Amino acid sequence: MGRGPRAWARSSGLSLPLLCLWAACGSATSPPVLVSPVPGCPCRDPGLCRPLSGQNQLEVFAFDVGGQDWKHYDWSKLTTIATFGAYDPQLLCHAHANEVRVVLKGAVPIRDIIDQINRTAWVLSKVRLAKSQFMDGINLDLEEAVAYQSAEYFALTQLVKETTEIFHREIPGSQVTFDVAWSPDCIDGRCYDYVEIANSCDFLFVMSYDMQSQIWDDCVAKANAPYYQTLSGVQAYMKLDIDPSKLVLGVPWYGYDYPCTHLFEAGRCALKSVPFRGAPCSDVAGTQIPYKKIMQQVNKSITGRFWDDYQKAPYYIYMVNKTYHEVWYDDPQSISLKALIVKKFNLRGVGMWNANLLDYSKNATAEKQTEEMWTALYPL
């Protein structure tokens, strides 16, 4: 991201109210024009309440679900934070000081925006909120099942177009993004117009995780984000002629803990059949587990860390109340392999769900594990 007047003022020690902007200064002999403080700005430097603009060489997109973990993120790597927790003005100021965008969460039942008047009203309400909180855009996260060419199908496409048009007009340089499943092939019934949506917004965040939401073959525990499945999903988007620069690859910073109805052998944990959206089996049979808890548990498990070379993912087994559990997750090895997909196909960038799932305590082991996860996002 370029170093404009705001960044130069911070590096030089000047505050923006005293900074003479080139366009407003006039001749060298003219008196300087002072920039007025931004009304309602929560930051000490009012320049930090001005929206960021420009495109990064590599997008690193993080979701934040609230709390104070953001104070310990690797700000040297981040470019965008999507706030899915309560609004925190301190987070905004800190992010802008580090040239990192902060964007709203955009979620609305699709049935509520079929009507054009309701749709426009919703978008305008989000623009007003973004302006009042000095944010840099919005991340649209809907994830509902939508039938091909239904009323919802067309309404969703129009929502993305209208959101992008209005945000770009009202907040110059703002960013509008849309979260999509790991593949465009109607995953979980999400039969969207992916081409038009990609054309309309700044980029798609490809949620390359929860890939066992619909298990059609053997009902056994599997990796949350198998490498080749991740790769095939990205390639499927590109086969639709979606420009790779419109794709950000999302990776999981969590895993799934599956209780086994029967453990045949390591890597063959039979699951209770829990149907989901037509599939006879799903990851609903397990529970999500954050990376920080996985790291506390893996070395105390029966097996320690195993590696599945076909799925290119780690897992381990433990027992509680006479029931075997198999935990599949991602770690620096599996994430760095997926991050290389970003480099190979020149994707827009990489991101994760979610940045709060690491251990940000001062424990030396935890600090090393956390640093390795942030580093894994950068392809070699």
Side-chain angles (χ1 to χ4, degrees):
M1 193 172 293
R3 293 181 63 80
R6 176 178 60 250
W8 180 85
R10 287 199 297 276
S11 64
S12 63
L14 297 177
S15 63
L16 247 164
L18 300 178
L19 177 64
C20 175
L21 297 182
W22 181 257
C25 286
S27 68
T29 58
S30 300
V33 177
L34 301 183
V35 179
S36 302
V38 180
C41 177
C43 309
R44 287 188 176 183
D45 178 353
L48 298 180
C49 285
R50 303 189 188 282
L52 302 181
S53 61
Q55 182 175 324
N56 299 284
Q57 186 174 4
L58 177 71
E59 180 74 34
V60 179
F61 193 103
F63 292 89
D64 178 273
V65 298
Q68 299 295 302
D69 288 332
W70 59 265
K71 294 180 178 180
H72 309 287
Y73 294 166
D74 189 338
W75 290 94
S76 69
K77 294 182 172 62
L78 280 171
T79 59
T80 300
I81 288 186
T83 54
F84 277 37
Y87 172 64
D88 186 343
Q90 287 188 327
L91 166 58
L92 175 99
C93 300
H94 189 81
H96 280 187
N98 285 277
E99 298 286 343
V100 175
R101 281 188 171 99
V102 181
V103 299
L104 291 171
K105 174 184 179 180
V108 60
I110 298 176
R111 66 179 180 274
D112 291 352
I113 49 89
I114 292 175
D115 179 82
Q116 191 272 329
I117 294 176
N118 291 343
R119 185 167 61 244
T120 302
W122 183 85
V123 176
L124 290 174
S125 73
K126 290 301 178 183
V127 169
R128 287 192 295 270
L129 180 60
K131 284 185 171 182
S132 72
Q133 296 179 347
F134 308 100
M135 289 190 166
D136 308 288
I138 189 168
N139 172 252
L140 296 169
D141 183 71
L142 283 79
E143 302 188 38
E144 288 183 45
V146 168
Y148 178 63
Q149 293 198 330
S150 62
E152 290 82 2
Y153 173 92
F154 292 108
L156 180 59
T157 305
Q158 288 303 314
L159 174 70
V160 179
K161 286 183 178 180
E162 195 166 346
T163 302
T164 304
E165 289 169 1
I166 294 176
F167 264 83
H168 283 184
R169 183 184 71 226
E170 296 296 321
I171 307 176
S174 59
Q175 179 176 280
V176 178
T177 57
F178 187 84
D179 298 338
V180 297
W182 64 269
S183 164
D185 297 331
C186 290
I187 301 301
D188 299 341
R190 285 175 272 179
C191 302
Y192 304 164
D193 189 346
Y194 291 103
V195 173
E196 281 304 306
I197 288 173
N199 288 338
S200 297
C201 66
D202 291 295
F203 59 82
L204 305 179
F205 183 89
V206 184
M207 298 181 289
S208 296
Y209 39 78
D210 293 346
M211 293 186 183
Q212 310 311 329
S213 60
Q214 293 176 297
I215 301 176
W216 300 95
D217 50 12
D218 292 346
C219 192
V220 297
K222 298 172 184 169
N224 185 12
Y227 174 81
Y228 292 109
Q229 204 169 335
T230 301
L231 177 62
S232 70
V234 170
Q235 290 175 321
Y237 280 106
M238 291 191 295
K239 285 177 182 176
L240 295 176
D241 288 331
I242 294 175
D243 193 311
S245 68
K246 288 271 191 170
L247 301 174
V248 167
L249 178 65
V251 298
W253 277 3
Y254 65 97
Y256 274 87
D257 182 334
Y258 292 104
C260 308
T261 59
H262 185 77
L263 182 65
F264 296 100
E265 59 182 339
R268 289 285 296 172
C269 164
L271 303 179
K272 178 182 178 182
S273 179
V274 182
F276 183 72
R277 290 184 179 173
C281 185
S282 71
D283 56 19
V284 179
T287 55
Q288 292 184 1
I289 177 171
Y291 186 74
K292 55 188 170 185
K293 184 175 180 180
I294 289 167
M295 288 297 95
Q296 294 167 359
Q297 193 178 68
V298 61
N299 291 332
K300 301 175 184 177
S301 64
I302 297 171
T303 60
R305 179 185 183 273
F306 278 167
W307 176 261
D308 184 290
D309 201 45
Y310 176 72
Q311 300 182 77
K312 299 194 182 304
Y315 68 100
Y316 61 89
I317 299 167
Y318 74 94
M319 177 183 277
V320 61
N321 296 329
K322 299 183 179 180
T323 298
Y324 286 108
H325 288 243
E326 198 165 77
V327 178
W328 287 85
Y329 62 104
D330 277 88
D331 66 4
Q333 182 179 357
S334 64
I335 287 173
S336 60
L337 289 172
K338 287 189 269 277
L340 288 173
I341 296 173
V342 175
K343 182 177 182 180
K344 179 177 181 180
F345 294 105
N346 294 314
L347 305 187
R348 179 72 161 259
V350 66
M352 89 298 292
W353 179 267
N354 61 70
N356 305 75
L357 294 171
L358 305 185
D359 186 341
Y360 295 104
S361 69
K362 294 299 182 181
N363 176 278
T365 300
E367 285 182 333
K368 183 174 184 294
Q369 292 166 347
T370 293
E371 180 184 359
E372 288 171 347
M373 287 290 276
W374 280 101
T375 301
L377 296 172
Y378 268 58
L380 300 174

